[in-house]
Amino acid sequence: MLPPPPNPNGPNGFFGLHSSWSSVRSPFEHGVVGRFEGEVTDLVVFGEIPKGLNGTFYRIMVDPFYPLQEGNAPIEGDGNVCALRIKDGRGDLKIRYVDTERLRLERQANKRLFGLYRNPFTHHPCVRAAVDSTANTNLVYWAGKLLALKESAQPYQVHPDTLETIIYDPFNSTGLTFSAHPKVDPYTRELVVFGYEAKGLGTDDVVIYALDEQWIKSPWPAFIHDCALTANFIILVLWPYKTDVDHMKKGGQHWIYSKDLPATFVVVPRHPNDLPTGWKRGETRVYHSDHAVLLHTAGSWEETAGNGDVSLYFESSRIRYNLFPVFGPPTDKPFGDFQADYVRWEIDLTKPTNTRVVDPAVILDMPGGMARVDERFLTKPYDKFFCPVIPPGKQRPIPPILPIGLHAYVMLDKPSGKVNMFDPGQGCTVEEPIFVPRTKDAPEGDGWVLGMIQRMDVNRSDLVVLDTRDFGNPVAVVQLPFKIKGQIHGNWVDALPGEKSITRILEPVEKIMGKGAL
């Protein structure tokens, strides 16, 4: 009897041959996924893509072109844009790297030059003055510009059709940094952005860009990944990590996880030239709760009582362990007491700064992350909530860790508490969804939810289209011919005036040559 054939993807991997990627490739992927640019026209569609879907789903992927230095966080790696354009029931795909200064320098040298995440002291001396942004965290379309974002630097502008990189820092911003999670007020059409460490490495300076620019101080040089926005306030959400430049100079990580730091919120008036009653110019207020990592926010709003007292509300994930073991102390147990849910926070602005907020109300008692809402109603109370989750009691291909181990989508109706779920199956993980309203004036939450499904069992990626009127049953599945890298974030952009095809168009046949068999 013949022995079984060798399995190049088995535990010994690739017939025992070594690669520079061997020590850094993901244990959840067959070989090294990604690292390509290209396009596919007219993707295979099962079911029917709704005719009302007409635009582009822009995803940004962490896709290292060269093997990263060991010890790097999973949020490091070059930004690679995946554009899925939907039109007339068809789907086209285009993938192209953001040509950052960092990537161009490494491609020129044909090797890795940059070290640990946001630690220039670990970079090769010849590139320490370069912008080390990988532009790999989010893609936002604003003011006619498609922006590839990384919170350690300013944006790179990329072309919405060709995905060609156009320019760095297209707004000529005064600070050195720009959030990966800007918010658009749909009622004022104002983009609100913040940047932390805005005056340099390890500084506690925060800049807020909007119609008015503000500079404030953070309680400590904190990891401020996301924020919440109401009509009159921006709420900065601080993660329990701190930075130490001396530690970085010794080759340490940019961030150090601290169990002693509380969940912290910094409240800032949005309009410094039109301050709310009781606020002084330049004033900020700090509130806190028990230690937790609030991975991302969902929606937010404010309420004013009859006596004029104002309370702020926002909803977010709440994770009670270190998301990034590489940032923890060596003795820290990775993914220690696994606790995660989605909660509603209330901040009573009649309370003085440095006050503890009331315990949050749990709105979804299930581990989840990267929830989305109908953003037409941002800054107002809302009822519908779309979230990738880890459903209880099912075996999955990846351990239940956030945010990569998400396995199903839920649609939560908050007034009734009803939860509808779409579960793609045992061998799948899901990524951050996007919501697209059925029409511009459709009721809140009436439309479609799109999300990328990573099918680990068959090594393929599929885009699923869910109708919120029958959430558990897809109306369409768009099959990609391969498995692509997982995204960090993504957004939908309605079809733009004058847009052109993202894939090449063949010249039409003007006249048949007449040289065929008949």
Side-chain angles (χ1 to χ4, degrees), residues 60-97:
I60 190 74
M61 307 177 292
V62 175
D63 194 357
F65 195 88
Y66 291 102
L68 300 174
Q69 178 177 324
E70 288 191 59
N72 253 307
I75 51 177
E76 190 68 323
D78 299 296
N80 204 355
V81 180
C82 168
L84 287 146
R85 179 155 295 172
I86 306 296
K87 184 177 181 180
D88 299 329
R90 300 172 52 256
D92 294 339
L93 169 73
K94 191 178 189 71
I95 298 175
R96 180 167 176 168
Y97 276 98

Side-chain angles (χ1 to χ4, degrees), residues 251-422:
Q253 298 283 357
H254 185 102
W255 295 117
I256 304 169
Y257 174 67
S258 175
K259 292 182 178 179
D260 297 327
L261 290 172
T264 302
F265 321 111
V266 179
V267 179
V268 187
R270 280 178 54 182
H271 308 294
N273 295 321
D274 185 17
L275 291 169
T277 302
W279 287 75
K280 300 176 182 178
R281 187 169 184 86
E283 180 183 4
T284 62
R285 298 179 190 174
V286 179
Y287 300 89
H288 59 85
S289 182
D290 293 335
H291 173 85
V293 180
L294 312 185
L295 183 59
H296 293 102
T297 64
S300 46
W301 65 97
E302 62 189 63
E303 295 181 4
T304 304
N307 62 0
D309 291 347
V310 177
S311 292
L312 308 182
Y313 297 86
F314 75 96
E315 293 170 345
S316 78
S317 55
R318 178 177 60 169
I319 299 169
R320 304 185 211 189
Y321 59 89
N322 181 12
L323 275 175
F324 304 105
V326 297
F327 296 154
T331 56
D332 193 40
K333 180 182 177 183
F335 311 113
D337 302 325
F338 180 75
Q339 299 180 57
D341 51 16
Y342 256 87
V343 297
R344 179 182 304 119
W345 300 92
E346 177 184 355
I347 301 176
D348 181 354
L349 294 185
T350 66
K351 303 296 183 183
T353 190
N354 291 317
T355 298
R356 175 187 168 89
V357 300
V358 297
D359 290 339
V362 176
I363 63 170
L364 183 63
D365 192 11
M366 196 181 300
M370 302 187 183
R372 300 299 290 263
V373 299
D374 187 337
E375 293 175 357
R376 295 175 299 160
F377 299 88
L378 199 64
T379 75
K380 303 291 185 183
Y382 62 99
D383 293 334
K384 296 292 193 297
F385 173 92
F386 310 100
C387 186
V389 298
I390 301 175
K394 293 187 178 181
Q395 286 190 336
R396 301 293 173 177
I398 290 181
I401 53 178
L402 292 172
I404 63 170
L406 300 161
H407 303 296
Y409 291 123
V410 299
M411 179 177 69
L412 171 67
D413 180 75
K414 294 195 298 179
S416 67
K418 182 179 180 182
V419 175
N420 292 296
M421 180 179 293
F422 167 69

Side-chain angles (χ1 to χ4, degrees), residues 51-64:
K51 298 298 183 183
L53 278 174
N54 185 15
T56 307
F57 178 13
Y58 291 103
R59 303 168 62 252
I60 190 74
M61 307 177 292
V62 175
D63 194 357

Side-chain angles (χ1 to χ4, degrees), residues 56-298:
T56 307
F57 178 13
Y58 291 103
R59 303 168 62 252
I60 190 74
M61 307 177 292
V62 175
D63 194 357
F65 195 88
Y66 291 102
L68 300 174
Q69 178 177 324
E70 288 191 59
N72 253 307
I75 51 177
E76 190 68 323
D78 299 296
N80 204 355
V81 180
C82 168
L84 287 146
R85 179 155 295 172
I86 306 296
K87 184 177 181 180
D88 299 329
R90 300 172 52 256
D92 294 339
L93 169 73
K94 191 178 189 71
I95 298 175
R96 180 167 176 168
Y97 276 98
V98 183
D99 292 338
T100 62
E101 183 176 38
R102 169 183 175 140
L103 180 60
R104 289 185 291 118
L105 285 165
E106 292 192 330
R107 292 287 300 269
Q108 184 178 347
N110 289 318
K111 65 179 180 179
R112 173 176 58 81
L113 297 173
F114 292 80
L116 294 177
Y117 168 75
R118 295 181 70 171
N119 184 348
F121 303 105
T122 63
H123 303 342
H124 191 283
C126 71
V127 298
R128 287 180 181 174
V131 175
D132 68 355
S133 168
T134 51
N136 70 3
T137 310
N138 208 349
L139 284 162
V140 172
Y141 185 79
W142 177 253
K145 297 176 174 62
L146 182 61
L147 307 173
L149 304 177
K150 180 78 170 180
E151 62 200 56
S152 60
Q154 290 294 328
Y156 280 91
Q157 181 186 350
V158 299
H159 193 284
D161 296 330
T162 67
L163 306 186
E164 177 185 0
T165 302
I166 298 172
I167 193 174
Y168 176 71
D169 189 13
F171 300 125
N172 293 314
S173 304
T174 55
L176 296 177
T177 57
F178 192 101
S179 171
H181 283 286
K183 306 293 183 184
V184 176
D185 186 327
Y187 301 98
T188 65
R189 297 304 303 161
E190 181 183 4
L191 182 74
V192 181
V193 185
F194 67 92
Y196 66 92
E197 292 187 73
K199 289 188 177 179
L201 196 67
T203 61
D204 59 0
D205 299 281
V206 178
V207 61
I208 297 172
Y209 309 104
L211 296 178
D212 302 298
E213 183 178 300
Q214 303 182 66
W215 285 84
I216 66 169
K217 291 287 189 179
S218 177
W220 73 91
F223 202 154
I224 315 176
H225 181 64
D226 203 355
C227 68
L229 190 69
T230 72
N232 295 292
F233 297 92
I234 180 172
I235 307 164
L236 304 178
V237 180
L238 279 59
W239 286 0
Y241 297 81
K242 54 189 178 182
T243 188
D244 184 332
V245 175
D246 288 336
H247 179 68
M248 283 188 270
K249 288 179 178 178
K250 297 174 184 177
Q253 298 283 357
H254 185 102
W255 295 117
I256 304 169
Y257 174 67
S258 175
K259 292 182 178 179
D260 297 327
L261 290 172
T264 302
F265 321 111
V266 179
V267 179
V268 187
R270 280 178 54 182
H271 308 294
N273 295 321
D274 185 17
L275 291 169
T277 302
W279 287 75
K280 300 176 182 178
R281 187 169 184 86
E283 180 183 4
T284 62
R285 298 179 190 174
V286 179
Y287 300 89
H288 59 85
S289 182
D290 293 335
H291 173 85
V293 180
L294 312 185
L295 183 59
H296 293 102
T297 64

